[in-house]
Amino acid sequence: MSKNELTRIKKEARDQIIQVKNIKELDELKIKYLGKKGILTQLLRGLKDVAQEERAQVGKTLNEMKEEIGSLVKDKEAKIQEVAIGAKLKEESIDITLPGKPLGLGKLHIITQVMEEIKDIFIKMGFAVAEGPEVETDYYNFEALNMEQEHPARDMWSTLYIDSKNNTLLRTHTSPVQIRVMEKESPPVRIIVPGKVYRHDLDISHAPMFHQVEGLWVDKEVTFSDLKGTLSIFLKQIFASDVGIRFRPSFFPFTEPSAEVDISCVICKGKGCRVCKGTGWIEILGAGMVNPRVLKNVGYNPEEVIGYAFGMGVERIAMLKCGIDDIRLFFENDLRFLKQF
Ligand code: DAH
């Protein structure tokens, strides 16, 4: 066990430890030099064969070597761990300068928006909001509105019936809510009724489900001029302050007299185009003075109270306001369409 030999072993151990790249290799070296059967352990065991006079010196050298190699291994272990932690931190670090993922913010459907706008205008004029069921009985949808069985005016609505006896149906208009409210409340009644209605129809201007807003005012003194004034204010606010408005005589069983209300065409400003079929006018709602028979049906005395009513389609108003030419677009749920409004 020459001095040179020991120096060589020490140098070799140091070189190997320095070059090691990971814990596994380091552990192997640790075992190779310091393990139970390791080089140094064996050298120490061989001490007994060393000449007496040299033993103390060699023993001291071997112990120093053992300590030195041990501390080299320890240092290396710390270094490898440090590098590993650094790499992990780097790998997991978040680049806070990257742009965030955009949040897909939703918004109200255009029909809901227009509905809210219509409601706001009437609420400011003193109307309360009332609602009623979408599955109705024949009585409320037709009979109480002055359309008994077999009344030809029932043909104005392509009705979807629910039972085979034709007693229950999907309401074809919001007018039945007039009856429901008047049955419960005594005059004065001043309401609007927003809601869904259903008809057996489907083309570019008709959908099987659409929305209406009904209006009703019953009081001691209500005149046709009140109706005209209220609807004119409404139409000027929802379309434009310079929109033209005209009332045409018409027929509805639940009003007498009845009228259809037109606005000047919002596309061509009254000159005549495809949308208004060259007339310059567009029909926008139905209205009239509540038929005394309807008042009687709810137990009101037509000698004492009088009223007006009106009804409009929300999709139609939205289409004219936004220049939409196919009603089906509202219900296809195509976000490219809906996001525009
Ligand atoms: N209910 C009618 C319809 O759906 C619209 C209507 C017309 C309602 C005249 C009214 C009215 O209240 O007075 O076609």
Side-chain angles (χ1 to χ4, degrees):
M1 209 182 296
S2 71
K3 216 175 164 195
N4 278 349
E5 176 77 2
L6 291 185
T7 312
R8 189 189 62 75
I9 292 175
K10 198 164 104 177
K11 189 177 177 298
E12 196 177 275
R14 178 186 280 129
D15 288 350
Q16 286 178 344
I17 291 170
I18 285 172
Q19 273 175 25
V20 125
K21 292 254 155 34
N22 55 49
I23 291 287
K24 193 172 161 259
E25 283 171 22
L26 186 65
D27 279 346
E28 281 164 11
L29 283 182
K30 201 168 154 187
I31 292 167
K32 179 176 171 189
Y33 289 100
L34 307 173
K36 265 191 203 154
K37 291 178 188 159
I39 293 173
L40 267 140
T41 320
Q42 264 168 21
L43 285 174
L44 278 163
R45 253 185 225 144
L47 257 188
K48 59 180 186 320
D49 304 327
V50 174
Q52 177 92 48
E53 58 278 18
E54 281 175 29
R55 200 175 293 160
Q57 183 54 44
V58 175
K60 195 177 166 231
T61 310
L62 283 177
N63 274 325
E64 278 170 8
M65 263 174 79
K66 195 177 167 184
E67 231 161 79
E68 208 173 312
I69 292 174
S71 83
L72 274 174
V73 167
K74 236 190 196 155
D75 288 354
K76 186 70 188 189
E77 201 170 54
K79 228 180 220 153
I80 288 175
Q81 252 160 21
E82 201 177 300
V83 170
I85 289 173
K88 198 156 185 225
L89 279 178
K90 202 168 174 199
E91 188 184 305
E92 289 175 2
S93 71
I94 296 166
D95 183 352
I96 56 163
T97 63
L98 281 174
K101 284 186 189 148
L103 270 184
L105 264 194
K107 55 158 134 173
L108 294 177
H109 191 283
I110 176 65
I111 293 301
T112 310
Q113 290 181 43
V114 173
M115 194 83 129
E116 292 297 315
E117 208 178 321
I118 296 171
K119 279 201 276 190
D120 276 355
I121 297 171
F122 283 110
I123 286 168
K124 280 185 192 139
M125 291 196 277
F127 287 76
V129 176
E131 283 177 354
E134 288 167 32
V135 176
E136 255 308 358
T137 61
D138 183 275
Y139 178 76
Y140 287 106
N141 198 79
F142 291 125
E143 199 141 345
L145 289 164
N146 197 30
M147 282 174 280
E148 53 214 27
Q149 296 288 341
E150 313 297 331
H151 193 296
R154 288 185 174 211
D155 289 349
M156 289 161 75
W157 300 276
S158 330
T159 310
L160 291 158
Y161 287 94
I162 290 212
D163 71 347
S164 53
K165 292 201 187 98
N166 294 354
N167 255 335
T168 19
L169 45 82
L170 291 174
R171 67 178 180 193
T172 59
H173 48 183
T174 42
S175 307
V177 185
Q178 290 187 22
I179 307 296
R180 289 184 174 274
V181 171
M182 287 192 286
E183 275 181 351
K184 279 213 206 86
E185 287 168 29
S186 31
V189 166
R190 186 156 24 168
I191 51 160
I192 50 161
V193 183
K196 293 187 172 73
V197 300
Y198 302 84
R199 293 184 196 174
H200 188 260
D201 278 332
L202 183 63
D203 59 42
I204 61 162
S205 52
H206 297 89
M209 184 283 297
F210 62 100
H211 299 77
Q212 283 190 336
V213 175
E214 189 85 9
L216 175 73
W217 183 20
V218 180
D219 206 340
K220 288 209 175 72
E221 278 176 52
V222 178
T223 65
F224 200 92
S225 311
D226 291 323
L227 174 63
K228 262 191 109 164
T230 304
L231 288 180
S232 301
I233 288 170
F234 164 71
L235 291 170
K236 283 176 192 297
Q237 285 200 29
I238 198 91
F239 289 109
S241 53
D242 60 349
V243 76
I245 298 166
R246 78 176 182 186
F247 283 63
R248 272 182 296 109
S250 184
F251 170 77
F252 295 102
F254 29 89
T255 43
E256 181 59 37
S258 302
E260 264 169 340
V261 183
D262 298 339
I263 55 166
S264 56
C265 181
V266 290
I267 311 292
C268 64
K269 305 269 176 258
K271 286 190 199 79
C273 69
R274 201 172 56 91
V275 173
C276 60
K277 300 192 182 84
T279 63
W281 294 95
I282 291 175
E283 185 208 316
I284 200 76
L285 50 82
M289 301 306 289
V290 179
N291 193 312
R293 289 187 182 207
V294 172
L295 296 175
K296 247 191 223 153
N297 286 343
V298 297
Y300 286 6
N301 182 353
E303 305 294 327
E304 285 173 8
V305 291
I306 187 167
Y308 69 61
F310 56 85
M312 66 188 86
V314 179
E315 279 75 3
R316 191 161 167 73
I317 292 175
M319 285 167 86
L320 290 168
K321 265 175 86 76
C322 306
I324 297 162
D325 59 5
D326 188 335
I327 196 171
R328 292 168 295 197
L329 287 166
F330 290 124
F331 310 117
E332 282 170 356
N333 281 343
D334 186 335
L335 288 179
R336 291 169 303 178
F337 170 75
L338 293 174
K339 274 182 177 166
Q340 297 174 58
F341 311 103

